[in-house]
Amino acid sequence: MIAREQIHAVLDHPVYDAEGKKVGDAKHIFVDDATGLPEWVTVKTGMFGTSESFVPIKDAALVDDHLEVPYPKSTIKDAPNVDVDAGGHLSESEEHRLFEHYGIAWDDAWQQANQPGEGGWAHGGTGAGTGTAMGAGAAAGTASGPMGTEEGFRAGTTGRAADTGDDAMTRSEEQMRVGVERTEAGRVRLRKYVVTEEVQQTVPVSHEEVRIEREPITDANRDEALSGPEISEAEHEVILHEERPVVETRTVPVERVSLKADEVVEEQTVSGEVRKEEIEVEGLEDPDDPDARGRRY
């Protein structure tokens, strides 16, 4: 059970489920109008905290800087939708739906309210029930009904606001908080494959050609010229050579290719709806300010 003095330590702090998973942040605490003991806590859920779920706080525990509730996250997020700003109280039908969702018997809750001792808040004075919101835009109130009866218990859950001795009224509004989350946008991989292409390169090549050289008989070559028979037939063969291009390939490393991710920051505009409370003056007659009646703040 969370004491009234611990309410400020719960508001705007994380709420964890029975498995230690964070559900969201505590936004409002609804207390019993008669005893002032916390009965329900609302938790902001969703990506941007746009949803608000009611969770029973009776068996919750304040651990370090967060609140632990004995319900799984899925059960809390699937809780019936209740208009938190509807007068700052839970109606009878709304609390019925919440009791059923969390498996709390309505009759058992009423019997507990009327049990002997301090645990039965319906004893003495007027019957009052759960319903006053403590938090942003909270308003205190009680509801009257037959003393110690089920009618008084039901009337308390309806939650009619009563005078608390404070002439001031708190006006609240929602503020949009925008955050970012990191998600996988795609994958890039390096894949190496082989292609064949034509390469042309010019290289110089040489070859031998035959040409006839004639030289006259001189005293220097006369003996060599007359060394053979005077008249004869002869055949002389000359081998010709040429160069041809020879192509061979070899594999050599040419470069290294790798992938690196660079973070690029860009501006994106997001929009959303926020609610705010307006206060209208009724029944005020000011001769110096004729427009005071009906003015909104």
Side-chain angles (χ1 to χ4, degrees):
M1 171 65 75
I2 303 300
R4 187 180 179 89
E5 294 76 14
Q6 296 175 301
I7 290 178
H8 292 293
V10 175
L11 293 176
D12 296 325
H13 283 73
V15 178
Y16 288 79
D17 68 355
E19 300 176 355
K21 298 179 181 178
K22 182 179 178 180
V23 182
D25 294 332
K27 183 62 177 177
H28 296 86
I29 288 184
F30 280 67
V31 301
D32 181 271
D33 289 337
T35 65
L37 297 178
E39 295 288 340
W40 299 90
V41 60
T42 65
V43 184
K44 300 286 278 186
T45 60
M47 181 177 298
F48 298 108
T50 55
S51 301
E52 196 165 349
S53 301
F54 274 75
V55 187
I57 203 173
K58 178 174 180 282
D59 297 323
L62 187 61
V63 180
D64 296 332
D65 61 343
H66 65 273
L67 183 69
E68 293 183 359
V69 294
Y71 301 98
K73 183 176 181 178
S74 57
T75 302
I76 297 173
K77 295 184 69 174
D78 293 339
N81 185 26
V82 177
D83 186 3
V84 179
D85 293 334
H89 280 71
L90 290 176
S91 67
E92 177 182 343
S93 60
E94 288 171 339
E95 193 164 26
H96 257 298
R97 290 163 54 206
L98 290 171
F99 278 175
E100 292 176 358
H101 177 75
Y102 288 101
I104 302 175
W106 173 268
D107 293 336
D108 293 345
W110 176 80
Q111 291 177 4
Q112 182 181 2
N114 286 273
Q115 66 184 0
E118 296 182 357
W121 51 259
H123 294 289
T126 58
T130 303
T132 302
M134 302 291 291
T142 60
S144 60
M147 181 167 36
T149 63
E150 183 175 3
E151 288 78 11
F153 177 72
R154 295 182 185 274
T157 60
T158 304
R160 298 193 300 263
D163 187 11
T164 60
D166 189 359
D167 295 335
M169 182 177 294
T170 301
R171 189 183 69 84
S172 303
E173 65 181 19
E174 295 178 341
Q175 295 181 348
M176 185 171 68
R177 297 180 180 178
V178 180
V180 295
E181 63 175 355
R182 194 177 186 89
T183 60
E184 184 176 308
R187 295 189 179 186
V188 179
R189 64 172 60 91
L190 286 175
R191 184 170 64 89
K192 184 171 68 173
Y193 57 94
V194 179
V195 297
T196 302
E197 59 182 8
E198 293 289 337
V199 177
Q200 293 184 350
Q201 185 174 347
T202 302
V203 295
V205 294
S206 63
H207 66 278
E208 296 177 341
E209 295 181 351
V210 177
R211 63 184 175 86
I212 298 176
E213 291 185 356
R214 296 176 185 270
E215 60 179 296
I217 302 298
T218 63
D219 292 339
N221 60 13
R222 184 180 298 275
D223 293 338
E224 185 179 354
L226 299 176
S227 63
E230 295 181 357
I231 302 293
S232 64
E233 294 182 356
E235 184 178 303
H236 186 69
E237 186 180 79
V238 177
I239 298 176
L240 303 177
H241 297 85
E242 68 177 3
E243 293 179 342
R244 294 180 180 178
V246 177
V247 178
E248 65 174 354
T249 61
R250 59 175 180 163
T251 302
V252 294
V254 292
E255 65 177 349
R256 289 179 59 83
V257 180
S258 61
L259 286 177
K260 290 185 177 180
D262 294 330
E263 185 171 315
V264 179
V265 179
E266 59 183 8
E267 297 289 337
Q268 289 190 358
T269 303
V270 297
S271 61
E273 294 183 353
V274 295
R275 299 176 301 172
K276 66 178 182 178
E277 299 172 343
E278 291 187 352
I279 300 175
E280 184 178 54
V281 179
E282 295 182 355
L284 176 63
E285 298 292 344
D286 188 351
D288 297 330
D289 188 1
D291 297 330
R293 184 175 183 180
R295 179 178 296 168
R296 294 186 177 183
Y297 298 88

